[in-house]
Amino acid sequence: MHRLEIAVCGAGTTGLAAAAFLARAGHRVRVLERFERPRPLGAGLLLQPTGLAVLAQLGIDREAIGAGARIERLTGETAGGHRVMAMAYADLAPHYFGVGIHRASLFSLLHDAAAAAGAEIVPDAAVAVSATVSGGRTVGDLRGRTHGPFDLVVDATGMRSPLRDGTVARARVRPFRYGAVWRAVRLPADWPHRSDLRQRYESARIMIGVLPIGRLEAQGEGLAALFWSLGPGEHAAWSRDIPGWRESVARLWPAVAPMLAEVESAADMAYASYDDVVVPVPIAERYVVLGDAAHCTSPQLGQGANLGLLDATLLAAALDTSDGDLAGALESYAAIRRRHVRFYQTASRWLTPFFQSDSRLAGWARDLALPIAGRIPYVRRQMVETLCGIKTGPFSRLDPGRWEPRYALAEPVRARQPA
Ligand SMILES: Cc1cc2nc3c(=O)[nH]c(=O)nc-3n(C[C@H](O)[C@H](O)[C@H](O)COP(=O)(O)OP(=O)(O)OC[C@H]3O[C@@H](n4cnc5c(N)ncnc54)[C@H](O)[C@@H]3O)c2cc1C
């Protein structure tokens, strides 16, 4: 496609990755970000083989693996020590693994990739509206400025997108009832599970998660992202009794208690709630919505950032192969993403109540069914494929040739001269 003028709204994981791919493809890209200094929010996340394959296309997989912690398995157990879940990436193939990474590390890799590719990052530009004008689309921000017109506006402003609802048809947003508090903490030197995402449950009401996320500096300390589920309306009560909460953690999982040494008040933990965002057709005239803005879901399956990274590379690929037909490129982007996104949204929606809900029955059923399921080789394989981010339906998966996790071997997408 000829060189397009593109606005990417939002400098999160999805927006920065999209900016990097689109600028490398030769388009003129302006990233509009609401913060004065673009920055990552929250602690850490788990990059799946899919997300790592996308980073490999940008040539930043080695850095991500080096900055983060290589994760080999996901283990879940009850507070009484009953093993509920033990899934290893290597159950699929020996070279599969995930990477726990601090959000700041991922942010800085993607930010540098976007800037190096020539994307212009415009801070302090909180977009609020978007409109089509003759031959283009503009974006207005909260300071009353109009940006553009652009050939294409990419909305990557996250789950509460201010542009989406007035632009695409039939978007549906429903909050999940549970949220979480989370923080990056020091990983004690004697923590034995350095390659595991470990979770501990009490019924479905309580879930603690510990995900090693590597280091922020080469010589820095090893860190972990610590998560604690909060039920509906519990945040205020939790904030008022941090000592009581620390006692609960110590009772449920004594080895985790030392990690809370730095948590003195509620302000030391970030609170996150999440919506189930469904956008059946993520495109409109000169507009496409990506990442959480298009398909936010609960973090139970650890896929959100990975889905956003795939959106980014596949949008750039659709534009690249469209022969100058922008509307056709957006149609083919929407078609190519449909099944993968729908599978993970549906799976997260169905699974979340077994890990975050008030239902005693759900917790009991999980503790009974998952160990049995894990012993059936076919079911176990489906579970690990789901974890890896590669499924597109109950019996289908992404093209293994394309998303095979040969992270450190993949050929990066090279910058191209503008046409
Ligand atoms: C507790 C928790 C744990 C998670 N764990 C994982 C995990 O292990 N693995 C995983 O893959 N995912 C995980 N996720 C999900 C993941 O964080 C999201 O899916 C991912 O961050 C989405 O990226 P995004 O760029 O689409 O949106 P965001 O990260 O929300 O970025 C949106 C960007 O847009 C900017 N913005 C917002 N409004 C405006 C505006 N009006 N104008 C301009 N800019 C604006 C924001 O400042 C931000 O920079 C987790 C989420 C939570 C809450």
Side-chain angles (χ1 to χ4, degrees), residues 150-239:
F150 301 98
D151 297 309
L152 175 65
V153 170
V154 177
D155 180 0
T157 51
M159 67 175 175
R160 308 224 157 93
S161 162
L163 306 182
R164 174 189 59 215
D165 297 347
T167 312
V168 292
R170 296 186 291 128
R172 198 197 73 204
V173 179
R174 282 197 205 133
F176 279 95
R177 296 183 67 241
Y178 272 61
V181 284
W182 50 325
R183 177 190 167 89
V185 295
R186 268 189 226 127
L187 202 55
D190 57 356
W191 182 253
H193 316 293
R194 290 181 176 266
S195 304
D196 291 22
L197 163 57
R198 280 190 100 81
Q199 296 177 340
R200 194 167 268 210
Y201 324 110
E202 190 172 76
S203 187
R205 275 198 55 73
I206 291 180
M207 178 173 68
I208 315 176
V210 177
L211 169 69
I213 54 172
R215 301 178 149 69
L216 269 179
E217 287 134 27
Q219 303 307 321
E221 299 162 295
L223 300 171
L226 182 100
F227 303 86
W228 171 270
S229 260
L230 281 181
E234 279 180 0
H235 185 232
W238 169 86
S239 308

Side-chain angles (χ1 to χ4, degrees), residues 44-397:
L45 51 77
L46 180 57
L47 287 169
Q48 304 294 356
T50 44
L52 287 163
V54 176
L55 297 187
Q57 293 182 344
L58 286 173
I60 53 176
D61 53 322
R62 286 167 202 261
E63 286 98 325
I65 295 166
R70 190 174 157 126
I71 300 297
E72 309 283 1
R73 61 195 81 75
L74 162 60
T75 311
E77 59 195 17
T78 63
H82 168 63
R83 180 65 60 87
V84 174
M85 192 163 51
M87 280 191 272
Y89 287 97
D91 286 347
L92 219 50
H95 56 292
Y96 275 64
F97 60 92
V99 168
I101 189 164
H102 199 292
R103 283 176 188 253
S105 306
L106 181 61
F107 174 86
S108 90
L109 286 171
L110 289 169
H111 182 275
D112 292 354
E120 179 195 357
I121 301 188
V122 183
D124 197 14
V127 302
V129 288
S130 173
T132 50
V133 293
S134 161
R137 180 177 274 279
T138 57
V139 184
D141 71 23
L142 288 179
R143 285 156 55 109
R145 296 172 301 188
T146 300
H147 304 266
F150 301 98
D151 297 309
L152 175 65
V153 170
V154 177
D155 180 0
T157 51
M159 67 175 175
R160 308 224 157 93
S161 162
L163 306 182
R164 174 189 59 215
D165 297 347
T167 312
V168 292
R170 296 186 291 128
R172 198 197 73 204
V173 179
R174 282 197 205 133
F176 279 95
R177 296 183 67 241
Y178 272 61
V181 284
W182 50 325
R183 177 190 167 89
V185 295
R186 268 189 226 127
L187 202 55
D190 57 356
W191 182 253
H193 316 293
R194 290 181 176 266
S195 304
D196 291 22
L197 163 57
R198 280 190 100 81
Q199 296 177 340
R200 194 167 268 210
Y201 324 110
E202 190 172 76
S203 187
R205 275 198 55 73
I206 291 180
M207 178 173 68
I208 315 176
V210 177
L211 169 69
I213 54 172
R215 301 178 149 69
L216 269 179
E217 287 134 27
Q219 303 307 321
E221 299 162 295
L223 300 171
L226 182 100
F227 303 86
W228 171 270
S229 260
L230 281 181
E234 279 180 0
H235 185 232
W238 169 86
S239 308
R240 284 192 296 271
D241 187 16
I242 297 300
W245 171 63
R246 287 164 54 151
E247 277 171 29
S248 305
V249 175
R251 175 178 59 81
L252 288 166
W253 201 350
V256 166
M259 296 186 203
L260 299 182
E262 300 149 48
V263 181
E264 285 170 6
S265 75
D268 294 325
M269 302 283 289
Y271 174 64
S273 60
Y274 13 90
D275 293 343
D276 185 16
V277 175
V278 178
V279 180
V281 184
I283 54 172
E285 188 180 346
R286 298 183 180 280
Y287 172 90
V288 59
V289 54
L290 312 185
D292 271 15
H295 44 64
C296 180
T297 186
S298 113
Q300 193 55 47
L301 281 173
Q303 300 293 332
N306 298 280
L307 290 174
L309 287 167
L310 260 97
D311 292 351
T313 181
L314 291 170
L315 173 65
L319 291 175
D320 202 29
T321 50
S322 69
D323 244 354
D325 172 13
L326 175 60
L330 295 183
E331 297 267 346
S332 73
Y333 166 76
I336 226 163
R337 288 305 284 134
R338 193 165 296 133
R339 295 190 65 213
H340 187 228
V341 164
R342 195 191 292 156
F343 177 82
Y344 279 98
Q345 284 203 297
T346 311
S348 299
R349 202 176 300 132
W350 279 89
L351 276 173
T352 297
F354 292 97
F355 294 86
Q356 289 193 304
S357 73
D358 303 331
S359 165
R360 281 185 172 279
L361 187 64
W364 177 81
R366 175 201 62 208
D367 297 347
L368 191 73
L370 276 182
I372 297 170
R375 284 198 284 272
I376 305 169
Y378 175 78
V379 180
R380 184 182 183 80
R381 190 176 170 86
Q382 300 309 308
M383 288 162 67
V384 182
E385 285 192 353
T386 303
L387 172 69
C388 286
I390 57 180
K391 282 190 75 69
T392 55
F395 306 107
S396 55
R397 49 173 290 183

